[in-house]
Amino acid sequence: MMAQFLLFVLALFFFALSVLGSTPQGFFLRQDPSFSTACLEFEPLNYVPNAAVNAHEFVAAGTTLQFPGSDPSCATPNQTVSVDICRIALNISTSDRSGVIFESWLPRNWTGRFLATGNGGIDGCIKYDDINYGNANGFSAVGSNNGHNGTGGSAFLNNPEVLNDYVYRSLHTIAEAGKNLTAAFYSRPANNSYYLGCSGGGRQGIKAAEMFPEDFNGIVVGAPAVNFNNMTSWRASFFGKTGAPSSPNFIPASAWQGFIHDKVLKQCDTIDGVADGIIEDPTLCDFRPEALICSAGQNSTDCLNEAQVEIIRSVLSPLYGASGELVFPAMQPGSEVMAVQKLYAGAPFPYSLDWFRYVVYNTSTFDDTHFSISDITAAQALNPFNVQTYPSNISNFTGPHKGKLLIFHGQQDQQITSFATERFYKHLAEGVGLYSTQLDEFLRFFRISGMFHCNSGPGAWMIGQAGSGSIGFDPESNVLAAVVQWVEEGLPPETILGTKYVNDSKVNGVERSRRHCRFPYRNTYIGGNASLPQSWECIVPDFVEH
Ligand SMILES: *[C@@H]1O[C@H](CO)[C@@H](O)[C@H](O)[C@H]1NC(C)=O
Ligand SMILES: *[C@@H]1O[C@H](CO)[C@@H](O)[C@H](O)[C@H]1NC(C)=O
Ligand SMILES: *[C@@H]1O[C@H](CO)[C@@H](O)[C@H](O)[C@H]1NC(C)=O
Ligand SMILES: *[C@@H]1O[C@H](CO)[C@@H](O)[C@H](O)[C@H]1NC(C)=O
Ligand SMILES: *[C@@H]1O[C@H](CO)[C@@H](O)[C@H](O)[C@H]1NC(C)=O
Ligand SMILES: *[C@@H]1O[C@H](CO)[C@@H](O)[C@H](O)[C@H]1NC(C)=O
Ligand SMILES: *[C@@H]1O[C@H](CO)[C@@H](O)[C@H](O)[C@H]1NC(C)=O
Ligand SMILES: *[C@@H]1O[C@H](CO)[C@@H](O)[C@H](O)[C@H]1NC(C)=O
Ligand SMILES: *[C@@H]1O[C@H](CO)[C@@H](O)[C@H](O)[C@H]1NC(C)=O
Ligand SMILES: *[C@@H]1O[C@H](CO)[C@@H](O)[C@H](O)[C@H]1NC(C)=O
Ligand SMILES: *[C@@H]1O[C@H](CO)[C@@H](O)[C@H](O)[C@H]1NC(C)=O
Ligand SMILES: *[C@@H]1O[C@H](CO)[C@@H](O)[C@H](O)[C@H]1NC(C)=O
């Protein structure tokens, strides 16, 4: 009798567990076979009605998912999933002429958090890797093709609806759809919502803060492609400056990566106190290329003529408009090692080329060898759906909604100069009339020295910006974990501890780790082993009022 009663109580207990949620971390017990059943029985179209199902499956940890339909230009044919998930892939209509290819991956072990991931460039490539990164850390995570497939822009031609998705509608739609599915699947809504994106994905995050302040509680953006029209023009302007590889004074990659980069380091590397190949603050580097002019009898493989020095000056200068106004800030010196791949390659920058072709001029014949000021003006004048993304006030996000924005930018970025993010930071500060110490309450911008565009580089670049750049989910060393702690516990990140492995491989051990400072603080060597974080200090530059 007693035993029966106990069994009954136990049964009730387990029933309650299965209904109400089991562990503080999530709804489904790790060994609970009902997770896969619950996944397959779930009816997503009840919660995202304006859609069709592309895939709906339980995926066990360790499985490599294949994406045969993924555009080859995205180079994402497969993704190995780190944890058990329920995968729901939909085609959500956004108008009668457009739709988004959407992925919602719901992990068994859920923390109550939701994550939306962004795209890059002008592309429509789903970042499966970022979705998996979110899942691996307990987020219910979503991503999409941002309204079109592949890295090119031809889908924009004569279809403003596709452009609308690209500019803002896709991300807003998938945030809403993802939250709907999350709430229904786990029987309670996400406690907090986050966004993670870099480059074009960085612009998407800022646009969300500007237009849909309630979509996210915390936003992490890297190298944001804000001031988009002008940035597109700036990128297009390089081809005219460098000339094609066949032109007489073209500077080859070997020169940029060899003696030119060496000279940049010679002039600027020790400003921060250490010759380690990393310029902590490129704003202090006023590179003088005339030091590279060939002297009499010098072998011209190690030096430049006057015309080439002029090309370097022009490449490292800001872009100005018709009345001499600033269009986009200068490329930061130090980035030449990687900039030879695209901006200094003597070829059109593909994203800019497609934007002018398929959006600004609606013709596939645009040729940016002859890029001129009138192109800058045309791009800015069109500004479709306000893709510009240059808010001077994001108070709706940071004020009543208490949203937190964490921005990072590599100081050796070869695709979007990091000076553009400093300018944007100051633009926001002026727009809302706040000093940096006041902005610190909701906006922090970390300058990641020695990091290329979004990731990699000689510096301590691993900061949790993606699964491949993460050494763990610790707020001290992971930007996503840092914004979570900021939102949920009110503890903002003071610094971000970056890590660099020897040859970027963990088995080789750590080459250096360094705490990156938030703007306008500047990292400065104070003594000791420069590979260790305690040998550096964030100091306030003289000019800052605070
Ligand atoms: C989310 O659910 C709400 C109502 O429950 C619905 O109005 C909305 O259309 C859904 N969003 C999407 C993107 O399906
Ligand atoms: C799927 O997406 C396309 C555009 O990519 C759209 O035209 C179509 O209506 C969508 N279908 C459904 C059922 O959502
Ligand atoms: C875009 O890619 C998805 C698969 O990711 C595919 O289902 C869809 O048909 C593609 N759309 C177009 C217009 O090619
Ligand atoms: C996944 O795709 C990569 C190419 O990006 C390929 O090298 C690898 O073999 C694929 N793995 C599986 C399991 O399909
Ligand atoms: C569930 O997720 C939490 C947070 O990500 C983690 O600490 C915990 O170890 C996970 N539990 C299991 C059983 O995987
Ligand atoms: C999420 O909110 C629920 C209550 O709605 C709470 O029980 C749970 O602990 C919260 N989880 C986190 C990670 O804050
Ligand atoms: C210049 O340097 C290159 C490479 O170091 C060498 O091959 C070449 O012979 C040198 N030319 C002269 C004129 O010294
Ligand atoms: C963008 O460029 C235009 C010139 O076409 C200039 O007037 C404008 O101030 C620039 N905006 C920003 C934010 O740089
Ligand atoms: C190109 O098409 C868009 C609409 O898709 C239009 O707004 C724009 O004015 C067109 N540009 C030109 C140069 O015709
Ligand atoms: C804030 O939101 C209100 C209400 O939607 C809107 O009227 C206002 O323009 C927004 N402010 C800014 C700076 O975007
Ligand atoms: C910023 O926007 C908010 C919300 O629209 C508004 O209340 C506030 O006055 C604006 N701040 C400035 C300095 O314009
Ligand atoms: C790192 O890479 C360099 C250049 O490829 C190589 O010479 C060196 O042996 C590598 N070091 C380790 C520890 O793998």
Side-chain angles (χ1 to χ4, degrees):
M1 184 67 189
M2 189 60 196
Q4 258 173 346
F5 178 69
L6 218 99
L7 265 178
F8 177 65
V9 169
L10 269 177
L12 255 186
F13 176 66
F14 281 114
F15 177 70
L17 267 188
S18 69
V19 172
L20 296 172
S22 46
T23 65
Q25 284 105 20
F27 186 81
F28 295 95
L29 279 171
R30 181 150 181 79
Q31 303 306 331
D32 188 350
S34 72
F35 177 73
S36 54
T37 310
C39 173
L40 298 177
E41 285 175 354
F42 186 62
E43 299 196 50
L45 298 187
N46 288 350
Y47 313 102
V48 183
N50 206 4
V53 176
N54 284 343
H56 182 175
E57 57 187 334
F58 164 73
V59 188
T63 306
T64 299
L65 281 170
Q66 301 293 335
F67 310 112
S70 163
D71 194 285
S73 65
C74 291
T76 51
N78 62 53
Q79 175 67 44
T80 303
V81 305
S82 303
V83 294
D84 290 357
I85 59 163
C86 181
R87 174 188 178 214
I88 291 165
L90 307 175
N91 172 8
I92 308 176
S93 291
T94 50
S95 78
D96 58 3
R97 300 187 64 197
S98 61
V100 297
I101 300 295
F102 165 77
E103 296 274 350
S104 167
W105 295 7
L106 303 140
R108 181 198 288 273
N109 181 10
W110 185 51
T111 55
R113 300 182 183 122
F114 173 75
L115 178 72
T117 63
N119 306 83
I122 57 165
D123 76 32
C125 295
I126 300 174
K127 296 213 183 234
Y128 300 105
D129 198 34
D130 286 356
I131 302 175
N132 178 62
Y133 173 51
N135 288 165
N137 291 295
F139 294 79
S140 160
V142 300
S144 83
N145 75 341
N146 215 16
H148 71 283
N149 289 346
T151 54
S154 61
F156 299 141
L157 185 64
N158 300 323
N159 195 339
E161 296 293 352
V162 172
L163 198 50
N164 186 345
D165 283 338
Y166 171 78
V167 175
Y168 65 82
R169 190 172 52 194
S170 175
L171 178 57
H172 178 59
T173 302
I174 69 162
E176 200 181 277
K179 288 181 194 179
N180 282 4
L181 295 178
T182 300
F185 186 68
Y186 299 102
S187 307
R188 66 174 168 84
N191 292 1
N192 286 293
S193 301
Y194 299 92
Y195 174 79
L196 181 68
C198 194
S199 192
R203 188 199 61 79
Q204 290 173 273
I206 303 293
K207 183 53 92 182
E210 180 185 13
M211 278 185 82
F212 303 106
E214 308 208 328
D215 278 359
F216 306 109
N217 305 93
I219 293 178
V220 178
V221 299
V226 294
N227 196 3
F228 180 88
N229 301 303
N230 294 17
M231 181 205 70
T232 301
S233 294
W234 174 76
R235 285 169 152 187
S237 72
F238 283 85
F239 186 25
K241 294 177 176 181
T242 62
S246 57
S247 55
N249 293 308
F250 183 75
I251 301 171
S254 57
W256 281 114
Q257 294 182 320
F259 67 91
I260 300 175
H261 184 62
D262 289 348
K263 189 64 86 179
V264 168
L265 291 181
K266 185 153 187 275
Q267 292 184 12
C268 300
D269 188 9
T270 55
I271 296 172
D272 54 35
V274 179
D276 57 358
I278 296 164
I279 302 169
E280 282 298 321
D281 187 348
T283 58
L284 302 179
C285 178
D286 184 16
F287 180 54
R288 285 164 288 105
E290 55 274 20
L292 292 167
I293 290 185
C294 298
S295 49
Q298 196 180 353
N299 188 334
S300 71
T301 53
D302 301 331
C303 58
L304 302 174
N305 64 34
E306 294 272 2
Q308 291 174 316
V309 165
E310 228 11 81
I311 289 173
I312 296 190
R313 275 205 196 96
S314 153
V315 156
L316 292 177
S317 296
L319 181 65
Y320 295 104
S323 341
E325 76 280 16
L326 181 60
V327 171
F328 208 73
M331 176 59 111
Q332 80 270 291
S335 54
E336 47 283 342
V337 204
M338 290 295 279
V340 295
Q341 292 184 347
K342 294 251 166 73
L343 292 176
Y344 302 178
F349 190 85
Y351 289 143
S352 289
L353 187 62
D354 272 21
W355 189 261
F356 278 103
R357 281 183 171 175
Y358 301 119
V359 180
V360 182
Y361 296 127
N362 305 335
T363 161
S364 57
T365 58
F366 176 78
D367 162 15
D368 56 2
T369 335
H370 305 296
F371 181 81
S372 72
I373 281 181
S374 66
D375 299 318
I376 302 175
T377 313
Q380 206 217 2
L382 187 62
N383 187 26
F385 303 102
N386 194 18
V387 67
Q388 175 69 341
T389 315
Y390 214 60
S392 57
N393 181 346
I394 51 166
S395 297
N396 285 337
F397 171 67
T398 60
H401 189 57
K402 293 194 166 26
K404 307 298 182 204
L405 175 59
L406 190 161
I407 307 181
F408 65 88
H409 203 136
Q411 300 296 294
Q412 243 175 285
D413 191 315
Q414 75 279 15
Q415 289 201 20
I416 301 178
T417 174
S418 61
F419 297 162
T421 297
E422 292 174 22
R423 184 167 173 240
F424 176 54
Y425 179 96
K426 291 172 186 161
H427 171 74
L428 270 176
E430 277 165 26
V432 290
L434 296 177
Y435 292 125
S436 57
T437 44
Q438 297 167 303
L439 279 182
D440 270 353
E441 306 222 337
F442 54 82
L443 164 62
R444 293 186 179 215
F445 163 39
F446 294 89
R447 295 192 286 178
I448 314 299
S449 58
M451 185 170 87
F452 301 146
H453 188 55
C454 297
N455 54 54
S456 58
W461 66 269
M462 298 179 75
I463 54 168
Q465 65 271 64
S468 56
S470 160
I471 59 161
F473 202 69
D474 170 4
E476 204 195 342
S477 60
N478 182 305
V479 282
L480 184 56
V483 95
V484 164
Q485 189 180 49
W486 195 2
V487 165
E488 296 180 11
E489 295 168 46
L491 291 173
E494 300 299 328
T495 55
I496 297 292
L497 179 62
T499 300
K500 166 80 181 174
Y501 291 128
V502 175
N503 288 356
D504 290 328
S505 176
K506 190 175 180 177
V507 293
N508 294 332
V510 173
E511 179 173 326
R512 64 168 56 89
S513 45
R514 192 167 295 175
R515 281 192 197 92
H516 301 293
C517 308
R518 67 181 187 275
F519 189 76
Y521 287 92
R522 171 179 297 152
N523 221 359
T524 305
Y525 177 69
I526 53 166
N529 180 346
S531 303
L532 300 176
Q534 59 267 32
S535 307
W536 296 80
E537 198 170 81
C538 297
I539 60 156
V540 193
D542 305 336
F543 62 83
V544 179
E545 305 166 65
H546 60 109

